[in-house]
């Protein structure tokens, strides 16, 4: 079976079990033996480069990009494997900050799909096929191997301990902020989720963490100690971190305990991006892979789709994939620092998220809100979300809030244009990367 274009190859990969679309999990859903068997079948491409492994609830993608850009700036060939994508699967696999050539992508994908025909995995319950995410992870490893990468920054998809990426032996493990997320899979407390994320820590391999709650840090530090993995926390290394948002970007001033000061204007806005940049800088310095004259400008220029991304002006439209209580709170804070009078919010969230907490934040920050559908990739119920918003509007005494349900994203955007024009406003999309992708 050979495909004529990369998008068709990706659709074929999507035809395998896609756990990202499912809400039904069993004890055998997430496991590593299938992935290990795949890598054995493909001659272990993950051993051909030096990986840096990143887990966490928020900030994984930005931190991973910052690290990869820092390595690129020093002349290294650095692959980056991240998820989810906003517009195209090509976003998940990049080299030195650029998409791979389509011909190369298709060639590697076709070769992988062809070799899968001779692969089988048998367990006690019978034969089973790889999942979509396992195949995407394998494809990333093959691309990085065949393009002679020196390093690759590998972002987990979900969790860590049983994530398909957790078959690598990294040169460093990195854990970004942990929040309540995917509680049906990872657990219903910060400690349980931290345990899953800390599963990427390997014996004797350095691990560093972002600013974390005491509950999360305790779990991670305990695992690091048990595995004799050298442990550092970026918060212990910083004496101050100042951040402010304006139309130029995110102004970050990071002062380290040793007196060194890093000053950057990050292309990606949001105070959390300053924290992500600080974590990436700490990783690069710890690995002795840092040159301020080259690394800092490269990190400052780094951009990812769907991170408070300005995609149009007149009226200005920003899209962001924030989908947890804390990330939504912080993106709203940064948005209001740019536009104190607020704007029009297009909001859509998939099932399994903290809808009530995010709805409260939306109602507190926006007077005009449109509820819409965050694509069809994952299950959502815009009508139920709209009802929740209306109930909270009443409960919070915010009857002046104009809340509308327009399930078609195209119609929601048309309506947002009209509302923004009437009130000289701007538009923000939030709630999920799928909602950002639709807009």
């Amino acid at each position: 079976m050979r495909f004529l274009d990369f998008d068709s190859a990706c659709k074929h990969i999507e035809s395998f079990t896609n756990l990202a679309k499912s809400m039904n999990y069993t004890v055998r859903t997430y496991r590593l033996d299938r992935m290990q068997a795949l890598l054995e079948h493909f001659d272990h491409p993950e051993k051909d480069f030096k990986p840096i492994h990143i887990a966490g609830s928020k900030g994984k993608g930005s931190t991973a990009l910052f690290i990869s850009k820092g390595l690129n700036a020093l002349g290294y060939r650095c692959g980056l494997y991240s998820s989810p994508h906003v517009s195209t699967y090509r976003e998940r696999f990049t080299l030195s900050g650029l998409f791979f050539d389509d011909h190369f992508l298709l060639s590697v994908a076709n070769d992988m799909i062809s070799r899968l025909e001779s692969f089988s995995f048998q367990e006690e319950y019978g034969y089973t096929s790889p999942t979509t995410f396992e195949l995407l992870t394998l494809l990333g490893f093959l691309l990085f191997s065949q393009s002679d990468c020196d390093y690759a920054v590998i972002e987990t998809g979900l969790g860590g301990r049983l994530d398909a990426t957790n078959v690598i032996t990294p040169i460093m493990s990195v854990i970004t902020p942990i929040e309540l997320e995917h509680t049906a899979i990872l657990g219903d407390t910060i400690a349980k989720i931290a345990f899953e994320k800390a599963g990427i820590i390997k014996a004797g391999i350095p691990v560093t963490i972002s600013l974390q709650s005491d509950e999360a840090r305790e779990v991670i530090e305990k695992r690091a100690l048990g595995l004799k993995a050298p442990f550092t926390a970026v918060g212990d290394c910083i004496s101050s971190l100042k951040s402010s948002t304006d139309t130029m970007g995110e102004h970050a001033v990071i002062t380290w305990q040793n007196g060194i000061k890093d000053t950057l204007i990050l292309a990606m806005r949001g105070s959390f991006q300053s924290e992500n940049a600080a974590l990436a800088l700490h990783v690069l310095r710890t690995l002795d892979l840092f040159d301020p004259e080259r690394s800092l400008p490269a990190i400052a220029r780094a951009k990812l789709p769907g991170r408070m991304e300005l995609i149009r002006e007149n009226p200005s439209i920003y899209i962001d994939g924030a989908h947890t209580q804390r990330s939504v709170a912080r993106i709203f804070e940064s948005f209001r620092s740019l536009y104190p009078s607020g704007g029009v919010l297009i909001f859509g969230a998939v099932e399994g998220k903290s809808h009530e907490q995010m709805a409260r934040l939306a109602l507190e920050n926006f007077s005009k809100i449109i509820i819409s559908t965050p694509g069809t990739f994952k299950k959502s119920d815009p009508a139920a979300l709209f009802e929740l918003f209306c109930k909270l509007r009443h409960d919070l005494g915010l009857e002046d809030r104009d809340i509308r349900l327009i399930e078609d994203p195209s119609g929601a955007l048309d309506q947002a244009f009209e509302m923004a024009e009437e009130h000289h406003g701007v538009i923000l999309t939030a709630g999920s990367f799928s909602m950002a992708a639709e807009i």
Side-chain angles (χ1 to χ4, degrees), residues 244-246 250 308 331-340:
S244 62
T245 309
D246 66 19
E250 192 67 26
M308 202 170 172
I331 201 66
F332 289 171
E333 178 186 0
S334 293
F335 185 82
R336 291 298 295 268
S337 69
L338 277 176
Y339 305 100

Side-chain angles (χ1 to χ4, degrees), residues 263-285:
T263 302
L264 309 92
I265 303 177
L266 299 167
M268 292 194 289
R269 299 175 181 85
S271 59
F272 45 87
Q273 296 297 0
S274 298
E275 295 174 11
N276 295 335
L279 179 59
L281 291 169
H282 176 61
V283 169
L284 293 169
R285 282 194 167 99

Side-chain angles (χ1 to χ4, degrees), residues 333-390:
E333 178 186 0
S334 293
F335 185 82
R336 291 298 295 268
S337 69
L338 277 176
Y339 305 100
S341 60
V344 181
L345 174 66
I346 300 175
F347 191 87
V350 300
E351 289 189 358
K353 300 297 180 180
S354 51
H355 291 169
E356 182 169 342
Q357 292 88 338
M358 293 193 291
R360 286 177 179 272
L361 290 165
L363 288 163
E364 290 167 3
N365 284 278
F366 292 87
S367 60
K368 304 190 181 302
I369 301 168
I370 300 172
I371 307 299
S372 194
T373 308
T376 57
F377 187 76
K378 293 184 180 181
K379 190 175 181 182
S380 66
D381 190 341
L385 189 60
F386 173 71
E387 289 179 10
L388 173 64
F389 267 75
C390 292

Side-chain angles (χ1 to χ4, degrees), residues 39-342:
L39 294 176
E40 178 70 25
H41 184 71
F42 282 83
D43 304 317
H44 290 284
E46 82 285 2
K47 294 184 178 181
D48 294 336
F49 48 84
K50 298 175 184 176
I52 296 170
H53 204 187
I54 301 185
S57 301
K58 290 304 299 176
K60 296 195 303 282
S62 298
T63 302
L65 178 67
F66 289 146
I67 293 171
S68 69
K69 285 291 190 179
L71 292 168
N72 298 153
L74 298 185
Y76 295 110
R77 291 175 67 82
C78 183
L80 172 60
Y81 177 61
S82 60
S83 59
H85 62 274
V86 174
S87 301
T88 169
Y89 271 106
R90 292 165 182 78
E91 296 168 21
R92 298 190 181 219
F93 324 98
T94 55
L95 174 65
S96 299
L98 302 172
F99 286 171
F100 283 97
D101 175 78
D102 263 19
H103 177 76
F104 177 65
L105 271 174
L106 181 60
S107 174
V108 176
N110 269 328
D111 181 62
M112 181 188 79
I113 292 166
S114 175
R115 291 177 66 181
L116 280 173
E117 294 174 6
S118 60
F119 173 80
S120 63
F121 180 80
Q122 187 175 16
E123 58 174 18
E124 59 182 304
Y125 301 95
Y127 286 94
T128 182
S129 298
T131 67
T132 294
F133 188 72
E134 287 165 349
L135 293 180
L136 291 171
T137 301
L138 172 62
L139 178 57
F141 292 167
L142 290 168
L143 289 166
F144 302 151
S145 170
Q146 294 180 34
S147 55
D148 299 320
C149 282
D150 303 298
Y151 295 91
V153 185
I154 308 296
E155 178 190 337
T156 60
L158 185 152
R161 183 174 63 92
L162 296 177
D163 188 80
T165 63
N166 201 26
V167 289
I168 56 177
T169 301
I171 60 171
M172 177 170 276
S173 303
V174 182
I175 301 179
T176 65
I178 290 172
E179 297 182 50
L180 288 174
E181 49 144 359
H182 300 293
T183 52
I185 310 164
L186 302 179
D188 56 2
T189 67
I190 291 293
K192 289 178 182 177
I193 295 173
F195 173 80
E196 295 296 329
K197 307 289 186 183
I200 70 167
I201 300 173
K202 306 295 190 299
I205 303 295
V207 57
T208 192
I209 65 170
S210 65
L211 301 171
Q212 297 282 1
S213 67
D214 292 342
E215 190 178 5
R217 175 169 175 158
E218 181 181 353
V219 173
I220 299 167
E221 198 165 359
K222 181 179 179 181
R223 177 169 172 82
L225 181 64
L227 292 172
K228 295 182 171 57
F231 173 88
T232 58
V234 70
D236 298 342
C237 305
I238 291 175
S239 61
S240 72
L241 195 162
K242 299 177 181 177
S243 188
S244 62
T245 309
D246 66 19
T247 54
M248 292 178 62
E250 192 67 26
H251 295 252
V253 180
I254 307 162
T255 305
W256 302 90
Q257 291 286 1
N258 59 8
I260 292 175
K261 182 181 290 187
D262 293 325
T263 302
L264 309 92
I265 303 177
L266 299 167
M268 292 194 289
R269 299 175 181 85
S271 59
F272 45 87
Q273 296 297 0
S274 298
E275 295 174 11
N276 295 335
L279 179 59
L281 291 169
H282 176 61
V283 169
L284 293 169
R285 282 194 167 99
T286 302
L287 293 173
D288 197 24
L289 293 167
F290 179 78
D291 173 359
E293 292 187 1
R294 290 183 286 173
S295 305
L296 291 175
I299 289 171
R301 291 191 297 267
K303 294 179 72 173
L304 278 176
R307 275 74 171 182
M308 202 170 172
E309 179 187 5
L310 178 63
I311 60 170
R312 171 185 165 142
E313 297 187 69
N314 300 318
S316 295
I317 303 174
Y318 292 85
I319 60 171
D320 194 273
H323 55 271
T324 67
Q325 180 180 355
R326 186 168 181 266
S327 62
V328 164
R330 299 194 71 176
I331 201 66
F332 289 171
E333 178 186 0
S334 293
F335 185 82
R336 291 298 295 268
S337 69
L338 277 176
Y339 305 100
S341 60

